[in-house]
RNA sequence: GCCCGGAUGGCGAAAUUGGCAGACGCAGCGGACUUAAAAUCCGCAGACCUUAACCGGUCGUGGGGGUUCAAGUCCCCCUCCGGGCACCA
């Protein structure tokens, strides 16, 4: 790193007359003072009667090191918290640690340290970094998810959910990361690879797993997105896609038993002589249920397609090794494509089973195929193929020469009245009319969908149905460093929940972390062997631990009442603080963390614990911090360490740069020269303040003069314009970069007139007003320097709770305006008029301008656009 | 393929309601201070044309079209970059 960087005060600086800005001296001094005041940033109790404001930044994983993304995240939250304090709110601004999880075990393997020690040491280190940054957290509310005081409530919630059937166990195919040697949730699989190991392909394994029934809330999670108008539309859309609700219908097709099979030409549907009994699906007749969103196209269904894993496939292929082989190939193709994440690119393949099913609307026989593009884990694992009206089916049918039946026509088919004009296939639009569809012919698609689903329901072979992409939340992890699932397996009594009064189920401390697969806890007999709470007999403890997303789904409730030993939190206290007014974090949590948190809140509401339907009122997703256009990463070697920045330029400059370099919602390119620039700015502020300080102090006890001289007026105007800018930005779009630029402009104005100010051209009282407000504005961005100057000014009230000054619109207003004068929309002159001048004055002033007179000479004025205070535009010929 | 962002000087950006494009900062250049350098302070600074210089002019917000007295901003089409989703039936 740069050893001989500027801005560190040197010994020679001491000889200068004006003191130098030295964050290395100021910041630790204030840090020590703040640290000694435990309740400096403490929220007041709900009884304070004040309006509450809950500002929250996403809790970090205690990796041991803050990165710049954290610094940015916390600088945003801290600026907001400090501002809201000054606005008089009762602010809750807590911080904690997402302290369970795999890295602790990996570190244990590598360094031979217990995960607990490693984690706690990391927390201590990062807490120190946060304190050095001067962040205004209420540390008395600090929560670490790995302590029994916290995770016991995970277990408590688990039991409540188990009682209500929201936590259940099922045998399921799971995503298995061979690197992690554990199960991943669907959400943790990215392009077929582990979200932590981007190179590691996730395998499918069959395991008994615990699940949370989040799908029970799928509809509400979707519906309530509409209420979250304080959330970015982008996040809401991502969640909508993730939930993936589709409305449609299920339809049952009866499989024609092998012995009744009467084939027509191989791929053409054949009209069968069907008896009444054959039409009715009966228990002894196999059914294939398909899910479709386009039941209106069902008359165009010319085959059924099964997923390779569909249960009936094995039966259909039982006596044909050749068929079995082909189906295995299809399955293999699908699996590989899935693992690679490019399912969409997979070439369509399939094979006819040789069996047929009865189309419930036409009573025709349709062939049953197995296709590699039909997925077992969506819908019913079987689809009806409508080649004329579905892209994929069209491609498939073309490839295998399957029949194609047009049953939907564009509403305005160009030629031929009775629908002779053939649409371009596949025709998938829904603003269309049905043909060749029996009694439904002539209906519009939408109407047909209703009627045909109802028809299917009346006749007992189908019903309207809704399917979701969202799956239940698999929470089992075969890892050590997590919340033990509080269940016991007894040979006699089956699954037995750990009685509530025996919580927490403590994670054993002494455990050898090895690379062996399977759950580490199962190798700790003291833990795994337990008496059955029901029969007292020998039983086995559940050795899976919970996904860490459980921890982060409700931690923000615990902040409201962090020491409660009788309940996860007090309901009334939570009712006061919730919902969170502002949540700030990276967009990478738009789906996982935020959808689980929403689910958890709804679940707790149904348990009667909270009253709010949603945890977060306003969500803000900040942009990434990049360096040279690339995401910071060790492999790219472009990581900038916050510690280095603080050592080099101070915490104030570091965090202020993080807010200055770009608006918070955009990506930010970290440029160290920029931090140096902020540091220079802070030096200028400090130097100006030091020079002005005696007069600022003198001005404290004086009242403002009844009339201001021109310089005073000019400076006060700038001050109030700056106050206005900050007030509006904090209320609205949070473009702190322009706030800081505005403060810089104010300071530039002050230093430009420094000599005049020093020689008394500005009254002490005015100077005091400006200096005081400057410090108030700076506080949200540079708390250390602000505290220092505040103290030097002799203020004894607490800076954090000093009231935010209301800007004075009259003082902020310019009394002389510069108005552009255009000719045919091109700038030709700028004229100066008194504020409030009407159009006539403006016109007259413009007419008198020599440049304008010259430009207008000999031209015919067609029109004059006169906007008082804004613009003159002569339209000429 | 679908959805959502974004594109403005050498660089990060600003322009909040359609009204002076480039505030503020970085880097750069010139000057002051200094024996010198650093630091600091003052000044210049979109591109091009014209001029000895001033003055002046033209172009300019990814590209093309449109609306308007007036477009970075509104409308239509396109390109590129980033992110999300993706045989979801």
């Amino acid at each position: 790193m740069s050893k001989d960087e500027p801005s560190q005060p040197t010994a020679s600086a001491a000889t200068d007359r004006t003191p130098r800005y030295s964050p290395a001296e100021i910041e630790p001094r204030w840090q020590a003072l703040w640290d000694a005041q435990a309740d400096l940033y403490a929220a007041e109790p709900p009884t304070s009667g004040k309006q509450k404001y809950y500002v929250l930044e996403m809790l970090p994983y205690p990796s041991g090191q803050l990165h710049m993304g954290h610094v940015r995240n916390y600088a945003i939250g801290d600026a907001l918290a400090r501002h809201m304090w000054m606005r008089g709110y009762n602010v809750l601004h807590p911080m904690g640690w997402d302290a369970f999880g795999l890295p602790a075990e990996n570190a244990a393997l590598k360094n031979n340290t217990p995960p607990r020690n490693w984690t706690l040491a990391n927390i201590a280190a990062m807490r120190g970094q946060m304190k050095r940054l001067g962040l205004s957290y209420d540390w008395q509310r600090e929560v670490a998810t790995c302590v029994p005081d916290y995770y016991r409530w995970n277990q408590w919630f688990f039991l409540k959910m188990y009682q209500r059937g929201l936590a259940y166990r099922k045998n399921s195919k799971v995503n298995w990361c061979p690197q992690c040697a554990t199960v991943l949730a669907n959400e943790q699989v990215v392009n077929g690879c582990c979200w932590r190991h981007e190179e590691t392909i996730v395998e499918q394994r069959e395991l008994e797993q615990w699940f949370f029934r989040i799908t029970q809330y799928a509809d509400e999670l979707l519906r309530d997105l509409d209420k979250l108008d304080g959330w970015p539309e982008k996040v809401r859309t991502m969640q909508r896609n993730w939930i993936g609700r589709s409305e449609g219908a299920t339809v049952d097709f009866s499989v024609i038993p092998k012995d009744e099979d009467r084939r027509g030409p191989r791929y053409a549907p054949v009209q069968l002589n069907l008896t009444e009994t054959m039409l009715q699906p009966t228990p002894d007749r196999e059914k294939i249920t398909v899910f479709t969103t386009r039941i209106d196209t069902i008359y165009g269904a010319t085959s059924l397609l099964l997923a390779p894993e569909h249960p009936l496939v094995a039966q259909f292929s039982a006596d044909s090794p050749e068929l079995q082989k082909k189906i295995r190939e299809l399955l293999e193709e699908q699996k590989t494509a899935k693992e690679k994440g490019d399912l969409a690119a997979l070439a369509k393949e399939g094979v006819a089973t040789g069996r047929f099913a009865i189309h419930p609307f036409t009573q025709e026989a349709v062939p049953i195929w197995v296709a590699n593009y039909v997925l077992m884990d969506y819908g019913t694992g079987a689809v009806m193929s409508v080649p004329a009206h579905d892209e994929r089916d069209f491609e498939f049918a073309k490839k295998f020469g399957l029949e194609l039946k047009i049953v939907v026509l564009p509403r305005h088919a160009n030629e031929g009245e009775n629908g002779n004009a053939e649409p371009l296939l596949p025709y998938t639009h829904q603003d269309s009319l049905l043909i060749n569809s029996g009694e439904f012919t002539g209906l519009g698609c939408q109407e047909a969908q209703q009627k045909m689903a109802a028809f299917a329901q009346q006749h007992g072979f189908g019903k309207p149905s809704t399917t979701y992409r969202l799956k239940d939340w698999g929470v089992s992890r075969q890892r050590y460093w997590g919340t033990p699932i509080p269940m016991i397996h007894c040979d006699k009594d089956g699954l037995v929940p750990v009685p509530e009064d025996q919580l927490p189920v403590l994670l054993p401390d002494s455990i050898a972390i090895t690379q062996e697969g399977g759950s580490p806890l199962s190798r700790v007999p003291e833990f795994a062997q337990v008496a059955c709470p029901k029969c007292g007999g020998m039983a086995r403890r559940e050795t899976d631990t919970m996904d860490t997303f459980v921890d982060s789904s409700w931690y923000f409730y615990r902040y409201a009442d962090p020491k409660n030993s009788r309940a996860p939190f007090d309901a009334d206290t939570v009712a006061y603080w919730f919902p969170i007014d502002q949540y700030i974090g990276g967009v990478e949590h738009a789906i996982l963390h935020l959808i689980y948190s929403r689910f958890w809140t709804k679940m707790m509401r149904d348990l009667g614990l909270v009253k709010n339907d949603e945890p977060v009122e306003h969500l803000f997703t900040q942009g990434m911090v990049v360096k040279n256009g690339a995401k910071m990463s060790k492999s790219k070697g472009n990581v900038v360490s916050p510690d280095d920045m603080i050592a080099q330029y101070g915490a104030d400059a570091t965090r202020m740069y993080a807010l200055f370099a770009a608006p918070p919602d955009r990506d930010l390119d970290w440029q160290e020269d920029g931090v140096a620039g902020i540091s220079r700015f802070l030096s200028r502020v400090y130097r100006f303040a030091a020079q002005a300080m005696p007069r600022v102090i003198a001005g404290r006890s004086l009242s403002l003069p009844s009339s201001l001289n021109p310089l005073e007026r000019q400076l006060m105007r700038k001050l109030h314009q700056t106050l206005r800018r900050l007030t509006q930005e904090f209320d609205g779009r949070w473009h702190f970069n322009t706030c800081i630029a505005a403060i810089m402009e104010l300071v530039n104005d002050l230093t430009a007139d420094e000599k005049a100010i020093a020689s008394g051209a500005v009254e002490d009282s005015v100077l005091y007003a400006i200096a005081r407000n400057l410090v108030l504005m700076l506080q949200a961005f540079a708390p250390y320097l602000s505290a220092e100057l505040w103290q030097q000014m002799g203020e004894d009230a607490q800076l954090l709770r000093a009231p935010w000054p209301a800007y004075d619109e009259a003082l902020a207003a310019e009394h002389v305006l510069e108005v552009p004068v255009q000719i045919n929309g091109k700038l030709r002159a700028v004229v100066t008029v008194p504020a409030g001048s009407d159009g006539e004055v403006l016109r007259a002033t413009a007419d008198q301008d020599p440049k304008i007179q010259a430009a207008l000479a000999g031209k015919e004025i067609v029109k004059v656009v006169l906007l008082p205070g804004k613009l003159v535009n002569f339209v000429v010929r």
Side-chain angles (χ1 to χ4, degrees):
Chain A
M1 292 308 273
S2 29
K3 283 175 208 80
D4 32 33
E5 272 301 319
S7 103
Q8 281 306 313
T10 56
S12 67
T15 59
D16 286 5
R17 216 170 293 152
T18 38
R20 288 226 176 181
Y21 171 57
S22 169
E25 187 275 320
I26 294 172
E27 294 184 356
R29 181 155 46 77
W30 281 98
Q31 181 45 61
L33 272 166
W34 291 341
D35 214 14
Q37 288 171 262
D39 51 6
L40 179 62
Y41 302 118
E44 295 169 50
T47 50
S48 73
K50 280 190 188 169
Q51 184 79 30
K52 65 93 181 178
Y53 194 84
Y54 187 173
V55 53
L56 180 70
E57 296 113 60
M58 289 181 181
L59 90 175
Y61 179 80
S63 61
Q65 272 274 315
L66 287 184
H67 54 71
M68 278 303 171
H70 291 127
V71 172
R72 189 181 195 195
N73 190 179
Y74 308 149
I76 297 167
D78 201 57
L80 183 66
R82 287 174 185 275
H83 186 81
M84 294 315 271
W85 257 305
M86 289 196 286
R87 287 277 184 98
Y89 286 89
N90 182 19
V91 176
L92 176 57
H93 189 211
M95 184 40 75
W97 311 98
D98 187 16
F100 271 139
L102 200 50
E105 289 179 60
N106 294 338
L109 262 176
K110 207 170 141 198
N111 313 326
N112 205 25
T113 351
R116 191 167 189 280
N117 299 2
W118 182 83
T119 305
L120 295 181
N122 286 351
I123 288 176
M126 289 170 78
R127 193 194 295 115
Q129 287 182 298
M130 290 180 179
K131 287 187 171 181
R132 263 173 277 145
L133 279 167
L135 300 169
S136 61
Y137 296 129
D138 182 354
W139 287 110
Q140 293 172 101
R141 293 173 186 267
E142 180 180 5
V143 163
T145 59
C146 67
V147 304
D149 267 358
Y150 185 81
Y151 70 69
R152 69 172 295 171
W153 300 111
N154 284 345
Q155 296 172 339
W156 184 85
F157 281 120
F158 188 99
L159 295 177
K160 298 284 170 203
M161 289 166 83
Y162 181 71
Q163 280 164 16
R164 306 186 132 228
L166 286 172
Y168 66 97
R169 200 169 150 78
K170 74 172 177 195
N171 206 355
S172 83
K173 279 234 167 65
V174 293
N175 306 303
W176 179 268
C177 170
Q179 279 284 321
C180 301
T182 191
V183 167
L184 303 175
N186 286 334
E187 290 84 343
Q188 292 164 342
V189 180
V190 180
N191 288 333
C193 293
C194 174
W195 69 317
R196 313 199 69 98
H197 304 100
E198 288 171 24
E199 307 296 310
T200 307
I201 290 175
V202 171
E203 301 167 4
Q204 301 295 306
R205 288 199 184 178
E206 189 90 13
L207 272 179
E208 276 269 286
Q209 299 285 307
W210 284 99
F211 287 84
F212 288 156
R213 213 178 290 279
I214 190 172
T215 51
Q216 188 164 315
Y217 288 87
D219 239 345
E220 200 194 337
L221 287 168
L222 182 68
R223 208 166 3 98
D224 284 356
L225 284 173
D226 294 337
K227 296 199 289 193
L228 295 177
D229 45 19
W231 284 38
E233 192 49 51
K234 176 185 169 144
V235 173
R236 294 200 279 175
T237 306
M238 283 164 79
Q239 291 210 355
R240 259 182 220 115
N241 290 342
W242 191 261
I243 294 166
R245 178 189 153 103
S246 342
E247 270 179 75
T250 54
V251 182
D252 301 331
F253 286 68
S254 291
V255 178
I256 300 174
K258 220 174 162 48
D259 47 16
E260 285 179 35
D261 207 352
R262 301 177 210 181
R263 303 181 188 205
R266 190 168 165 217
Y267 295 126
V270 286
Q271 193 71 44
L272 301 172
N273 280 327
L274 297 164
T275 62
E276 261 312 295
T277 51
M278 284 173 73
L279 287 180
Q280 300 302 320
T282 55
D284 58 320
R285 202 178 278 271
E286 294 285 4
K287 279 190 320 188
I288 294 172
T289 303
V290 303
F291 172 75
T292 176
T293 54
R294 294 296 306 277
I295 194 173
D296 55 311
T297 64
I298 199 165
Y299 279 80
T302 53
S303 60
L304 289 187
L305 308 179
L306 303 182
E309 293 163 287
H310 194 282
L312 284 178
V313 167
Q315 188 190 316
F316 291 169
S317 61
D319 48 11
S320 166
E322 203 183 325
L323 195 53
Q324 285 171 9
K325 185 172 166 251
K326 180 66 191 167
I327 289 163
R328 270 199 306 276
E329 280 170 26
L330 295 173
L331 180 60
E332 229 14 77
E333 286 162 14
Q334 188 182 78
K335 259 177 141 173
T336 322
K338 232 180 185 174
E339 283 167 2
K340 281 198 301 197
D342 58 354
L343 208 51
L346 177 64
K348 290 178 180 44
E349 282 294 335
V351 63
T353 60
R355 298 288 296 270
F356 291 78
I358 303 166
H359 189 303
F361 282 83
T362 64
Q363 275 77 54
E364 287 175 345
V366 293
I368 302 170
W369 284 61
V370 178
N372 66 354
Y373 69 95
V374 180
L375 305 168
M376 195 54 223
D377 58 9
Y378 183 79
T380 57
V383 301
M384 61 181 202
S385 174
V386 186
H389 305 294
D390 181 284
E391 308 257 358
R392 300 149 297 177
D393 295 342
F394 182 77
E395 190 186 331
F396 188 71
K398 248 184 4 191
K399 184 162 182 176
F400 293 95
L402 296 175
E403 201 206 355
L404 197 141
K405 267 172 82 178
I406 297 170
V407 293
V408 176
L409 281 186
R411 232 172 238 281
H412 307 290
N414 11 3
E415 299 288 309
E417 317 232 313
N418 13 343
N420 287 340
E422 285 209 355
L424 197 64
L425 293 181
Y427 184 78
T428 57
H429 297 275
Q430 297 198 39
D431 57 339
S432 334
L433 290 173
L434 267 60
I435 56 162
N436 298 329
S437 295
E439 62 187 273
F440 304 99
T441 296
L443 293 181
C445 289
Q446 314 288 339
E447 196 188 350
Q449 282 166 19
Q450 309 285 317
K451 295 215 160 135
M452 292 167 97
F455 180 89
Q457 189 157 29
Q458 269 164 36
H459 291 80
F461 61 79
K463 59 178 181 214
S465 168
T466 303
T467 304
Y468 298 89
R469 211 188 77 105
L470 182 72
K471 300 279 182 300
D472 275 341
W473 175 11
V475 294
S476 281
R477 296 292 181 272
Q478 289 68 49
R479 303 304 321 177
Y480 161 68
W481 193 235
T483 305
I485 290 174
M487 297 295 294
I488 289 166
H489 303 266
C490 174
D491 285 340
K492 194 160 142 269
D493 297 307
L495 269 176
V496 184
V498 173
E500 228 181 85
D501 58 14
Q502 287 175 29
L503 296 185
V505 176
L506 285 172
L507 205 53
D509 244 346
S510 51
I511 176 167
I513 303 289
T514 67
Q515 241 159 347
E516 272 175 84
S519 170
L521 287 176
S522 64
R523 293 189 294 270
V524 183
E526 315 86 88
F527 179 85
Q529 288 169 14
V530 67
C532 169
K534 264 197 189 153
C535 67
M538 278 275 278
R540 220 166 16 86
R541 215 183 257 295
E542 172 64 63
T543 56
D544 283 356
T545 51
M546 296 183 207
D547 180 9
T548 57
F549 276 110
V550 171
D551 308 326
S552 55
S553 290
W554 68 281
Y555 73 100
F556 33 76
Y557 286 95
R558 185 70 178 170
Y559 284 144
D561 188 17
K563 308 247 152 68
N564 199 323
S565 56
R566 300 173 319 279
F569 47 78
D570 173 65
D572 290 338
T573 308
V574 157
Y576 171 76
W577 285 112
F578 274 77
I580 294 162
D581 294 274
Q582 185 67 61
Y583 198 18
I584 307 163
V587 73
E588 65 272 19
H589 294 110
I591 300 173
L592 314 181
H593 163 57
L594 287 170
I595 217 163
Y596 293 144
S597 295
R598 296 181 59 223
F599 159 65
W600 206 274
T601 289
K602 291 174 190 303
M603 177 274 288
M604 292 198 300
R605 178 203 58 201
D606 291 348
L607 289 175
L609 294 169
V610 302
K611 296 196 179 76
N612 47 303
D613 293 325
E614 289 286 341
V616 174
E617 178 126 35
H618 297 277
L619 174 72
F620 189 90
T621 51
Q622 97 247 11
M624 276 193 310
V625 179
V626 301
K627 170 94 191 222
N628 305 327
K631 192 174 173 172
M632 285 189 191
S633 73
K634 272 184 205 148
S635 59
K636 291 199 194 79
N638 61 351
V639 177
V640 179
S641 142
D643 284 343
D644 289 350
M645 287 296 125
I646 295 172
Q648 203 65 234
Y649 304 100
D652 277 347
T654 303
R655 38 187 291 180
M656 198 157 166
Y657 174 73
L659 297 178
F660 177 69
D665 54 336
R666 279 222 236 163
D667 285 356
L668 181 160
D669 201 281
W670 193 269
Q671 295 183 9
E672 196 168 328
D673 285 338
V675 191
I678 296 289
S679 173
R680 269 198 293 275
F681 165 70
L682 294 175
S683 305
R684 254 194 329 274
V685 171
Y686 187 82
R687 187 182 49 72
F688 177 81
Q691 166 274 125
M693 200 52 82
R695 304 202 25 228
V696 168
I697 292 165
R700 265 194 82 195
S701 48
L702 305 172
S703 49
L704 287 171
S706 52
S707 73
L708 300 174
N709 68 38
L711 179 58
E712 288 169 346
R713 234 204 110 87
Q714 178 216 316
L715 292 174
M716 286 298 271
R717 184 182 308 123
K718 193 74 184 178
L719 170 68
H720 280 267
Q721 287 172 347
T722 312
L723 281 170
R724 179 172 61 191
R725 162 70 74 154
L726 263 72
T727 304
Q728 288 171 350
E729 287 294 347
F730 273 102
D731 281 348
R733 23 164 240 182
W734 289 13
H735 281 196
F736 302 131
N737 53 332
T738 61
C739 291
I740 294 168
I743 298 173
M744 286 173 170
E745 284 188 51
L746 172 63
V747 172
N748 287 348
D749 278 10
L750 289 171
T751 51
D753 291 314
E754 196 168 353
K755 289 217 175 71
I757 292 169
S759 60
V762 168
E763 291 261 342
D764 290 356
S765 58
V766 175
L767 194 56
Y768 166 71
I770 293 169
R772 178 191 157 93
N773 283 309
L774 174 62
V775 171
L776 290 178
M777 288 191 289
L778 223 37
Q779 197 233 157
F781 311 118
Y784 286 109
L785 177 60
S786 307
E788 176 70 17
L789 296 179
W790 189 251
Q791 189 194 47
Q792 287 183 15
M793 283 163 69
E795 299 284 351
D796 35 20
Q798 212 184 10
L799 172 59
L800 190 68
R801 289 172 172 82
W804 178 248
Y807 62 89
D808 184 331
E809 199 66 75
L811 273 173
E814 298 284 352
H815 63 245
V816 172
L817 300 177
E818 297 198 328
V819 179
V821 182
Q822 301 176 337
I823 293 174
N824 287 344
K826 291 199 167 151
L827 183 71
R828 283 294 178 268
V830 176
V831 295
T832 306
V833 294
S837 301
D838 59 14
E840 269 178 55
V841 174
L842 188 56
R843 171 72 195 268
T845 315
D847 280 343
Q848 276 158 31
D849 188 276
K851 281 185 211 160
I852 296 302
Q853 283 174 350
L856 287 179
K859 298 276 163 65
E860 180 197 349
I861 297 177
V862 179
K863 183 179 175 183
V864 180
V865 180
L866 268 180
L867 297 175
K870 285 232 166 133
L871 170 115
V872 185
N873 188 14
F874 292 98
V875 185
V876 302
R877 250 201 299 259

